[in-house]
Every structure is written in C-alpha cells, then in structure tokens.
Amino acid sequence: MDKIERFLSCDFVLLTRGRVDHQHLLSNMPEEILSMITIVCHPGEKELHSKTWGGKVKRITEYSGDFVGEAREWCINNLDGEYVFFFEDNLQFHVRKDPDFGDGNKHGLTNVNSSKFKEETLTSIYYAILLDIFDKLDTGEYGMVGVSHRTGNNRQPLDFVDNSRLYGFWALHKENYRKMPSRFSDVRYREDFYMELEFLLEGYKVGVFYKYAIDKKAVNQKGGCSSYRKPEETNQNAFEMEKMFPGFVRAVKKEKKSWNGYDEVWDVNISWKKAYEYGRQKRDI
C-alpha cells in the first residue's frame, strides 16, 4: 500500500483558535503537504481563515465546543478518516542528522523549514514523519503515536521509544479510541496526557519518534488554549489528575515562574511505563 492509499483513510487536522492573522506552521509547510490539511477553527473564524488559506488547504471547518478536548472530540466524531493526525498551529518541526535530510546542528537536530531544505526535500521529510506514524498505528498495538519534544531529544539515543511523554503533534486510530472508557472532552486541561494514560492503562502503547522533534514557536501567545486557560485552574487540574490516576500521576511544583508572572505553578509527573505495565497485565488476565 503506497502513501496515497494510506492517507486516504487519514484526516490531517490543524486545530486553531484566535490566530487568524498568522499561522506559523501552515506558513512553513510545503504546498503538497499543505493541500492535505484540514483547518478546524473556533466558531466564527472560518471566513477569515478562508481568505488566507482557501484553495491551499483541503478544507476549512469550525468545531463546536469551548476547550481543546471538546474540539478534538468533535474532529473524531465528525471527520471521515479512521486515522486522525492532530497538529497544533504554532509548531516547528526538526529532524535528526540523516543521510537523506542533511546535517543536524550541535544538538543533532535541524529545523524543517525552507531556509534549510528545498521544497522537494521538505515534502519528503513530512511524508516520512506521517508514514512512520501511520505504520505504527496500523499495527493495532498503539493508542497514540507522535514525535518527541526538542527539549531532551538529544538525551535519547533511540529513534523510537514506547510509552513516553507525548504532546503537540500526534495521531490516533479511531478504532482503538472507540474502545476506551474515556474521552478527550472529559477534562478541560491536559486532555492529551489524560487520554495517553487511559490508553496505557488499557494495555495500548503510546509511541514516540525521537528521530523527529517539535517545539513551539511561542508559548502562551495570544489565542489557542490561552484564550480560556487560567493558571489557578491548570494548577487544580494537576491535583485532579493525581486523584484520577493514583500511583501513576504526581502533582509537582515547578521551580520556575509560569506565564504572566504567576508565582505558583504545578505540573504533573507521570509514570508512563508503569501505567502500560499495569494495563498490559490487566489485558493478559
């Protein structure tokens, strides 16, 4: 099955809210990949996005709901593909040193953009990322598969790792998702971590490609989750997750200040591999 046949069963979704003036990821995508993208935007933004991206992307539609978990759930329930790839709109992709893609920087990674690569090579890199993820999901063993964050990427020598932290860009197979007792829309914050844990605790792996990486062009910029996110609520969510997943999640206080100078910041420390071992044993019983 070639890549065209594989991708006929996929939706490549860019979720966006409050960023109609500039789309960092879309602006840096090669045309062939851009033409595969479905922009799923906040209610009231479709017309504005159509002025810039109409005719360049596959389609533009609006989700129903208030927060990102509801937006993801809308996509799963309303788009046709059996595989859904979720892109955040402010991502920057990177690739490790590779004979096909050129040399990396001192950290072993190179930005995937037009200043580094020709259009043809950029397209090849994106296809490689998407096909690698698709092929892992197609085994049926994985709940979610994506790529690593740039931070810490150089500390992992392997190109692919099971059951590690995943966020920002990943995909799932609806068939496995439908088997889950939980949904992205169950929680207002950290919905990606929430569903990763649900998959692991049901005995499905979460896969992370380290030969690729992402980071974000700007964190906590106008739009996106910042449109509704409140520091005190995300702090509370850390403790809620600790209660929901006892023994697998621990709320931890960050050393650094968070966005907007908020002094007390709580995050979550998650035992991904422990959660999978629990789930695997449960499935074996």
Side-chain angles (χ1 to χ4, degrees):
M1 185 165 56
D2 64 22
K3 63 176 178 283
I4 301 302
E5 291 178 291
R6 289 184 180 99
F7 292 163
L8 287 175
S9 60
C10 300
D11 282 303
F12 301 98
V13 174
L14 181 122
L15 282 177
T16 187
R17 175 176 181 172
R19 293 173 181 158
V20 296
D21 296 327
H22 180 66
Q23 286 290 321
H24 175 76
L25 178 59
L26 295 183
S27 298
N28 287 283
M29 271 188 174
E31 290 183 6
E32 190 169 334
I33 303 300
L34 186 63
S35 69
M36 298 159 53
I37 297 293
T38 294
I39 296 176
V40 180
C41 58
H42 194 63
E45 296 181 354
K46 179 179 177 180
E47 184 177 350
L48 291 171
H49 282 297
S50 297
K51 291 179 181 179
T52 303
W53 301 107
K56 298 177 182 177
V57 299
K58 182 179 179 180
R59 58 184 156 177
I60 303 171
T61 187
E62 295 178 346
Y63 63 82
S64 61
D66 181 39
F67 51 92
V68 67
E70 291 181 333
R72 295 193 195 282
E73 195 64 29
W74 184 93
C75 292
I76 291 167
N77 292 333
N78 290 277
L79 300 180
D80 296 330
E82 275 301 302
Y83 299 83
V84 186
F85 289 68
F86 284 107
F87 297 82
E88 293 189 11
D89 61 11
N90 58 349
L91 297 181
Q92 171 66 61
F93 279 87
H94 305 263
V95 63
R96 280 183 173 175
K97 184 175 181 179
D98 186 284
D100 294 327
F101 302 142
D103 293 335
N105 62 19
K106 65 180 180 180
H107 300 295
L109 295 168
T110 298
N111 290 346
V112 178
N113 59 51
S114 57
S115 67
K116 300 285 186 180
F117 302 105
K118 294 180 180 179
E119 180 88 359
E120 182 180 353
T121 305
L122 276 178
T123 303
S124 297
I125 294 172
Y126 271 98
Y127 274 134
I129 296 170
L130 300 178
L131 286 168
D132 276 346
I133 291 173
F134 179 94
D135 287 344
K136 286 292 183 182
L137 286 172
D138 202 39
T139 66
E141 298 176 10
Y142 290 86
M144 296 162 67
V145 181
V147 304
S148 74
H149 195 272
R150 182 184 61 82
T151 304
N153 178 279
N154 61 327
R155 295 195 294 270
Q156 174 54 257
L158 299 177
D159 283 345
F160 181 80
V161 173
D162 283 336
N163 309 325
S164 185
R165 182 170 178 157
L166 180 67
Y167 62 102
F169 168 65
W170 44 266
L172 57 78
H173 188 184
K174 289 182 183 178
E175 181 179 346
N176 285 344
Y177 180 74
R178 293 186 185 108
K179 298 173 184 176
M180 293 299 103
S182 304
R183 293 291 179 260
F184 285 107
S185 54
D186 291 346
V187 293
R188 191 173 180 86
Y189 301 106
R190 297 185 177 95
E191 82 295 335
D192 44 3
F193 291 176
Y194 173 75
M195 281 310 306
E196 283 177 59
L197 276 165
E198 290 290 346
F199 274 118
L200 293 170
L201 292 170
E202 292 297 321
Y204 290 93
K205 300 175 188 176
V206 169
V208 184
F209 280 99
Y210 277 81
K211 61 179 176 178
Y212 315 114
I214 54 138
D215 62 9
K216 297 188 178 183
K217 182 66 176 177
V219 179
N220 300 318
Q221 68 187 82
K222 180 183 177 182
C225 296
S226 299
S227 301
Y228 63 84
R229 182 175 54 190
K230 298 177 181 178
E232 60 272 21
E233 290 183 357
T234 60
N235 283 348
Q236 181 60 33
N237 172 258
F239 294 101
E240 290 170 355
M241 287 194 68
E242 189 176 56
K243 291 178 181 178
M244 284 189 285
F245 303 103
F248 303 107
V249 176
R250 183 167 55 91
V252 292
K253 191 173 183 179
K254 278 187 174 181
E255 295 297 326
K256 296 193 237 179
K257 289 187 177 182
S258 80
W259 66 95
N260 299 326
Y262 196 75
D263 290 327
E264 188 170 290
V265 186
W266 289 84
D267 203 347
V268 288
N269 187 304
I270 300 176
S271 300
W272 305 107
K273 290 177 172 55
K274 180 181 177 183
Y276 173 69
E277 286 304 314
Y278 174 89
R280 185 183 62 81
Q281 292 172 19
K282 185 171 70 172
R283 290 184 74 180
D284 289 342
I285 295 174

